[in-house]
Amino acid sequence: MTNPVPPPQKPPAPSQNNGWSFHLVSLFGIPVQIHITFLVLIIWIALQGSPSKTEPALFRLLFVLSVFTCVLLHELGHSLVAKRHGIQTRSITLTPIGGVALLETMPRPREELFIALAGPLVNVAIAILIYVGGLIAHLPMKFPITEAPNSLPTFMTYLFVINVILALFNLLPVFPMDGGRVFRSVLAHFMSDVQATVIAVRVGQFLAALLGVYAFLTGQWMLMVLAVFVYMAGGQESNAFQTKELASGHTAREAMMREFHTLNTGDSLRKAADMLLAGSQHDFPVMSGNSVAGILTRSALMRGYAQEGGEAYVAEFMNRDYLVVPPDMALEEAIVQVQGVTNDPILVMEQGAGGEPVLMGLLTQENLLEFLKLRQLQDIRSNRPERY
Ligand SMILES: [Zn+2]
């Protein structure tokens, strides 16, 4: 017998281009994009200084381009090592605050060590090249830096320092920066991936908080913004990772709501309101005969009530675009399908004996959170003996 599972309805694929980035070039098959704010920065730098003295402006421009070439090489370092581990890079985007290499899949924390190290090591290599190149060409670096990068020696000195800073800054053990990933990778050899992530994130957030206090006391606002950004990014990464881990190995069937009520297209909003009040269900599948016609969510019900009162039909306010997944779909995958797409419940449907889709359950945000919470409690109790 063939697999009786209907294919899942695909949500719109996440856009590769967020609309603010432009394709620049493809390197090693990886599209390199440039964020519009970076172009603005270049134009701004070019416009600095008086027209009679174009040379400093030209050096500044050249300097910014050189720095971003170094950032690009840093990201390529991550991408090429990831490729050796069988992970493709979807894109590299350059922004004024740095670069981002978007990998197709996240490597396991333990495999991540070399991918995370590759970026900063590229900057170390560039710094060494500049230093050795300067010695060979008898262009010694000038320390301390007192003038702008308007001559070749000062230019190279600046570039050397920038690369050392890029390497050191990215190696700070602050998740999700490279150093935080290296730290997690090392921790993951001694504990579970989730525990390693939690500890790496906490240490990173503690350091980010210290940095934030320091920035506040010294009035360095850019640094403060960065500290807040790193703090929040760490928390988000940690949550996303925990969700993924807790869901892995489970199916949509296990987490779905199995006992639920349905409405018919001819039912009134008043009936829907009664059902909403009578139970704890917020969203109702709306049936037309034996097939699903849509979902009436709580917010749609409220909106309908406000606009037309209780006598209006549910069919008028139900959402006809709903996501369907088969019961045996990996829960991880089902979560990825909804994330950022909809807050409505997903319908879990299976093909019946006659080939018609049969509604098996609802995957709501609430149910999903409860399921993951229970998994977490179970994990804490059993302390994940399967890992070590
Ligand atoms: Zn990096």
Side-chain angles (χ1 to χ4, degrees), residues 326-341:
D328 295 321
M329 178 183 259
L331 190 56
E332 226 177 304
E333 211 179 313
I335 291 172
V336 170
Q337 290 223 0
V338 258
Q339 259 169 4
V341 179

Side-chain angles (χ1 to χ4, degrees), residues 305-325:
Y305 233 86
Q307 285 175 11
E308 296 191 17
E311 300 315 316
Y313 290 119
V314 295
E316 202 180 330
F317 292 97
M318 70 186 183
N319 190 355
R320 289 167 203 273
D321 296 318
Y322 49 86
L323 285 175
V324 176
V325 299

Side-chain angles (χ1 to χ4, degrees), residues 71 74-75 78 99 101 115-120 123 166 170 176-179:
V71 172
H74 171 115
E75 299 304 332
H78 288 308
I115 299 173
L117 273 178
N123 295 115
L166 276 175
N170 277 294
M177 293 203 310
D178 298 335

